[in-house]
Amino acid sequence: MPLHVPPAPAPALRSVLAALGSPTAVHEAHTPALRAIQGPLTAELPLPVHVLDRLGLSNLAAGGRPPRTRLTGWRFLIRSGDRYVAAADTRLAPDGWVFSHFFEGPYVAATERALRQAESLTTGYQPRLLSVPELYMLTLWLHGAVGADAAAGLPAGEDLLVPLAPAPPGIAPYRPHPVSELLPVLTRRLTPLPAAAPPTLAAPAA
């Protein structure tokens, strides 16, 4: 079933297109593949980037309430011909959405692979990205409310999270997990172990 890709804010898209049209912005990007391309480039598949940090997971640990997330940007995949060669991130500035930076690397291919995999699911979803910075983890968040505001909403138990490669040790990339299954695992990983009790000194011999 096709994914319901949410429309990005118009200023975010305009800022990325302006950066793609700027030889200076492309040349200064740390993206050799992007700088080497001579043909046209397009910005596609806008995905809202939400962050789930330790504070956000504390709701779940404190009694099963929905974890809190916050929108930090919009990410676009940059296409050249028949392949995606880089991505562009935008951020929210005081005067609206602005271009942040280009990048390349494993998460570009991983995002494309996860999106293609999600297209084969029988249920429709709104695709988002969910980052867990403290675990160096990025997931494709498949939100069940396809018509929801992409900037808002909490992960629902029946939503799916697809870890992207590279994933943290012990978590298989590209395997869809219900939120209700994966988030408790992440919560345990982020919960610090109890501090060890100080050693007890033996009483001196009489």
Side-chain angles (χ1 to χ4, degrees):
M1 179 173 290
L3 295 175
H4 299 260
V5 179
L13 177 58
R14 285 197 300 267
S15 71
V16 170
L17 295 178
L20 284 175
S22 167
T24 301
V26 172
H27 179 74
E28 292 180 350
H30 298 290
T31 51
L34 193 62
R35 295 199 303 266
I37 291 170
Q38 301 296 322
L41 298 166
T42 58
E44 301 179 359
L45 295 174
L47 297 172
V49 182
H50 293 254
V51 168
L52 179 64
D53 54 21
R54 188 183 296 271
L55 179 61
L57 280 170
S58 64
N59 278 2
L60 189 66
R65 297 190 303 274
R68 289 185 297 171
T69 65
R70 53 190 173 86
L71 179 73
T72 60
W74 282 82
R75 177 168 298 175
F76 299 78
L77 295 186
I78 306 302
R79 178 188 287 275
S80 171
D82 60 354
R83 64 191 182 99
Y84 293 107
V85 296
D89 274 357
T90 63
R91 59 181 177 83
L92 189 59
D95 56 348
W97 289 100
V98 297
F99 171 74
S100 174
H101 62 279
F102 293 115
F103 70 94
E104 60 185 44
Y107 280 138
V108 175
T111 301
E112 180 184 5
R113 173 175 169 176
L115 287 168
R116 291 186 185 279
Q117 178 179 305
E119 287 278 1
S120 66
L121 298 175
T122 57
T123 302
Y125 291 100
Q126 181 192 88
R128 306 174 173 192
L129 292 173
L130 184 65
S131 172
V132 188
E134 276 123 332
L135 294 179
Y136 301 98
M137 182 178 184
L138 183 65
T139 72
L140 177 64
W141 170 12
L142 299 175
H143 192 44
V146 297
D149 179 358
L154 301 173
E158 62 274 15
D159 288 355
L160 297 179
L161 296 177
V162 184
L164 303 184
I171 296 179
Y174 308 116
R175 177 187 168 191
H177 299 266
V179 164
S180 57
E181 172 188 304
L182 184 59
L183 286 193
V185 174
L186 303 185
T187 302
R188 289 193 293 272
R189 290 194 177 205
L190 287 176
T191 302
L193 297 175
T200 302
L201 298 177

